[in-house]
Amino acid sequence: VEARTPSGNGTDTPSPQGDATVAAERIRLVTAPEGNRARYRVREQLAGLTFPNDAVGETDAIEGVVVLEPDGTIVREESRFVVDLTTLKSDRSRRDGYVQRNTLRTAEYPTAVFVPTAVHGLTMPLPTSGEFTLRLEGELTIRGVTRPTVWDLTLRIDGDTFTGTAATVFDFATFELTIPRVASVLSIVDEIRLEYDLRLVKAPAT
């Protein structure tokens, strides 16, 4: 509703703050100080074991923001998530060293960047509570290679707090990555699963 103030002739005229009111309708969500964690999962067969094992590396070094228009459209130029890949840790330090040096080459490419471009299944105006199954599209950049990705997103809303899990799957070649070849690993499935446990909070629109 456009703000109006009485004019001297008794008719209503638009307030000069009308444009600011429209801009304030954008919704800005930012990563909370705690509760955000990203991980990769790769199925591997280790030498000496009779069963496959998931190699899992995690980090909580994530900063992000997503801005939504009143109709639910993502403001792409103001939305992005950045993950510090140099902080990824698994249960094996030798694996971490190999992934850092060879697979991700974090000395040259220390971060992964995800730019969300569209979300499907979200109703506007945003509800104040409930759990929702959504599909999130965006561009992911790993080691200087950018590809479109689609994420399955389960989102829980509780007032101004948004929590949930997003996941996507792709093969090594998608981002021009080489499947690791080390003596302690007999085989690795050509599939990488990325997961993001998120906790976002509403922030004032800029």
Side-chain angles (χ1 to χ4, degrees), residues 127-132 155-163 199-202:
T128 58
S129 64
E131 183 169 316
F132 308 89
L155 186 68
R156 292 177 294 278
I157 302 177
D158 184 8
D160 290 343
T161 302
F162 299 71
T163 58
R199 182 178 179 85
L200 309 178
V201 294
K202 276 189 180 181

Side-chain angles (χ1 to χ4, degrees), residues 88-180:
L88 280 171
K89 299 293 182 185
S90 71
D91 60 347
R92 292 173 178 264
S93 59
R94 291 182 62 185
R95 176 194 293 126
D96 297 337
Y98 185 95
V99 169
Q100 300 275 351
R101 292 188 306 272
N102 300 282
T103 307
L104 297 177
R105 290 164 48 191
T106 56
E108 300 171 74
Y109 307 98
T111 63
V113 178
F114 175 69
V115 177
T117 56
V119 59
H120 303 278
L122 189 65
T123 59
M124 301 297 285
L126 283 177
T128 58
S129 64
E131 183 169 316
F132 308 89
T133 300
L134 310 172
R135 188 181 68 180
L136 180 64
E137 297 178 3
E139 294 184 351
L140 179 62
T141 300
I142 299 174
R143 217 177 74 171
V145 177
T146 301
R147 295 287 186 266
T149 53
V150 178
W151 300 68
D152 295 321
L153 171 61
T154 299
L155 186 68
R156 292 177 294 278
I157 302 177
D158 184 8
D160 290 343
T161 302
F162 299 71
T163 58
T165 300
T168 189
V169 177
F170 49 82
D171 57 29
F172 280 78
T174 299
F175 289 90
E176 301 178 14
L177 303 175
T178 301
I179 298 176

Side-chain angles (χ1 to χ4, degrees), residues 32-92:
E34 297 181 348
N36 290 275
R37 180 167 288 272
R39 71 181 62 85
Y40 68 79
R41 291 183 183 274
V42 176
R43 180 59 59 94
E44 63 182 10
Q45 178 67 60
L46 297 177
L49 295 180
T50 58
F51 53 87
N53 171 74
D54 275 352
V56 181
E58 298 185 321
T59 179
D60 59 5
I62 307 165
E63 292 186 358
V65 57
V66 58
V67 179
L68 300 171
E69 295 282 13
D71 64 357
T73 302
I74 292 177
V75 183
R76 175 174 175 168
E77 61 271 18
E78 297 183 24
S79 305
R80 71 174 40 213
F81 291 82
V82 180
V83 181
D84 183 355
L85 300 179
T86 67
T87 61
L88 280 171
K89 299 293 182 185
S90 71
D91 60 347
R92 292 173 178 264

Side-chain angles (χ1 to χ4, degrees), residues 10-30:
T11 60
D12 288 342
T13 57
S15 163
Q17 297 178 345
D19 291 343
T21 301
V22 172
E25 292 179 351
R26 280 184 173 179
I27 297 171
R28 186 169 183 265
L29 306 176
V30 301

